[in-house]
Amino acid sequence: MRIRPSLAAAALAATLLTLTTACGGTGTAASSDTETVTVYSADGLSNWYKARFDEFTKETGVAVNLVEAGSGEVVSRVEKEQSNPQADIVVTLPPFIQKADAQGLLQPSGIDTSAVPTEEKDPAGKYVPVVNNYLNFIANPGANPAPATWDDLLGEQFKGKLQYSTPGQAGDGTAVLLLLQHLKGKEGALDYLNKLQANNVGPSSSTGKLQPKVSNGELLVANGDVQMNLASIADDGSEFNVFFPAETNGARTTVALPYVMGLAKGAPQSEQAKKLMEYLLSEKAQQTVGPDALGVSVRKDVRESATVDVNDKSTPAGLLNGVTVWTPNWNTVITELDADVAAYQKATGS
């Protein structure tokens, strides 16, 4: 999905005893004799993680080391480290969590996930969502007229001023391709993306890196997701508007893109990792997803008890009001992804 810093080996070695985040490496140091759980995560949740991990460490004495990267890069790193596993917990977006499972990189955690609806989690117990999230686009306020439809994105004003993260590498970018396939069919999606290429700046493995470019006007339009973009506006003062491109009939549709976590196969601290996973799914932690992460809780009881204002556009509920949420069959997606990405690359010349 996203990447702010790279997931370099040096970062892993240098920060094993420190909670590091993608927003500057702030965190809570751990003593040398403290157990440390290492989390590899798609970026976007660092501020929420920081508070939750501090709470977890205070309650258990177990430190947490966070390494953030793009959703595809997270899985690639775990795959490369199979002979010497470093990660305990993997958090990424679909279809990359399904890819990790298919590659044998996850193991059943055995944790209690009963508060999460059955249809939203892996029946084999290898992965479970931790924060619900959704695809969107962002536009700089200087875009005039402001884009509202898919056809608007093809306009001359966006030539060299539009960028979206790369399908097959970033979760959000993959979701753009999938959504267009859903709306226009596979050939229609490729035809549209071929036309859009005239405006596209070029490939990007990171959706997160596009936010500041839209905020400062280097770009006028980029793809994003509800949780990350709302958090960027609230925490960083980013200047962009969140929107969902409409079809010609005015209908707006998005893709459900939850952050999903699983226990890494060969996790060095598997028992402590399970405790952290259960903590992140606890009612206490999930009640903070809305106000602190600007996402949507994965627990049914927390969602049902939450106060929702559908007119407040600074919240996920307000943004999603009137938007159809589509959830792909991710298991089907993963079987077709390589061919779809190859077809995309051929159609766009990328």
Side-chain angles (χ1 to χ4, degrees):
M1 172 182 185
R2 300 153 316 223
I3 175 171
R4 291 180 187 143
S6 65
L7 210 163
L12 290 170
T15 60
L16 274 176
L17 297 180
T18 305
L19 169 60
T20 63
T21 75
C23 294
T26 59
T28 304
S31 63
S32 59
D33 59 351
T34 301
E35 291 179 296
T36 301
V37 173
T38 297
V39 179
Y40 283 10
S41 178
D43 63 338
L45 288 175
S46 57
N47 286 345
W48 183 72
Y49 279 145
K50 174 66 169 60
R52 305 293 80 72
F53 292 168
D54 284 351
E55 293 167 357
F56 177 76
T57 299
K58 184 176 180 180
E59 292 184 13
T60 65
V62 178
V64 184
N65 170 43
L66 171 66
V67 181
E68 291 187 300
S71 50
E73 187 178 353
V74 166
V75 175
S76 295
R77 187 74 195 189
V78 175
E79 181 184 14
K80 292 174 182 176
E81 295 173 348
Q82 285 186 82
S83 62
N84 183 27
Q86 301 296 311
D88 295 300
I89 297 172
V90 179
V91 184
T92 189
L93 305 187
F96 296 101
I97 194 71
Q98 287 81 8
K99 181 179 180 180
D101 183 24
Q103 293 176 329
L105 304 179
L106 305 177
Q107 61 179 313
S109 65
I111 65 172
D112 180 9
T113 63
S114 58
V116 180
T118 301
E119 65 276 13
E120 297 179 18
K121 57 191 176 185
D122 175 39
K126 291 185 180 179
Y127 52 85
V128 61
V130 64
V131 172
N132 281 328
N133 196 17
Y134 311 89
L135 174 73
N136 60 250
F137 279 70
I138 54 177
N140 182 278
N144 186 21
T149 70
W150 290 104
D151 286 345
D152 289 344
L153 302 185
L154 302 176
E156 181 70 22
Q157 72 160 320
F158 298 118
K159 187 175 181 61
K161 289 287 188 177
L162 177 148
Q163 193 171 18
Y164 61 94
S165 50
T166 306
Q169 295 184 33
D172 290 327
T174 302
V176 170
L177 175 60
L178 296 175
L179 179 56
L180 286 167
Q181 289 177 342
H182 176 65
L183 298 176
K184 300 174 179 293
K186 290 197 174 186
E187 290 303 316
L190 294 178
D191 179 64
Y192 176 84
L193 290 168
N194 174 264
K195 295 175 181 176
L196 188 65
Q197 198 67 9
N199 290 344
N200 187 22
V201 170
S204 172
S205 63
S206 162
T207 313
K209 282 185 176 179
L210 304 181
Q211 293 184 122
K213 293 181 179 181
V214 176
S215 183
N216 66 25
E218 180 180 345
L219 296 173
L220 290 179
V221 174
N223 67 319
D225 63 69
V226 168
Q227 180 278 323
M228 181 174 65
N229 293 152
L230 285 181
S232 184
I233 292 169
D235 299 336
D236 306 325
S238 294
E239 295 186 5
F240 47 65
N241 301 314
V242 177
F243 72 104
F244 302 88
E247 298 173 75
T248 54
N249 63 1
R252 296 177 298 153
T253 304
T254 187
V255 180
L257 280 180
Y259 293 88
V260 188
M261 66 178 176
L263 181 66
K265 185 177 181 181
Q269 296 287 345
S270 61
E271 292 307 310
Q272 303 298 359
K274 292 175 186 178
K275 292 179 182 178
L276 177 57
M277 293 172 71
E278 288 188 327
Y279 184 81
L280 293 176
L281 288 179
S282 69
E283 184 176 1
K284 174 183 177 181
Q286 285 291 308
Q287 284 177 338
T288 69
V289 168
D292 293 359
L294 293 169
V296 176
S297 173
V298 300
R299 288 182 64 108
K300 185 178 180 181
D301 54 349
V302 172
R303 291 201 298 253
E304 289 177 344
S305 63
T307 301
V308 175
D309 183 356
V310 297
N311 296 312
D312 184 355
K313 298 301 182 182
S314 67
T315 68
L319 286 177
L320 292 166
N321 186 27
V323 179
T324 299
V325 176
W326 172 60
T327 301
N329 183 326
W330 294 111
N331 290 321
T332 299
V333 168
I334 200 64
T335 63
E336 300 175 356
L337 185 60
D338 287 347
D340 287 345
V341 169
Y344 162 79
Q345 293 170 338
K346 182 179 180 180
T348 60
S350 58

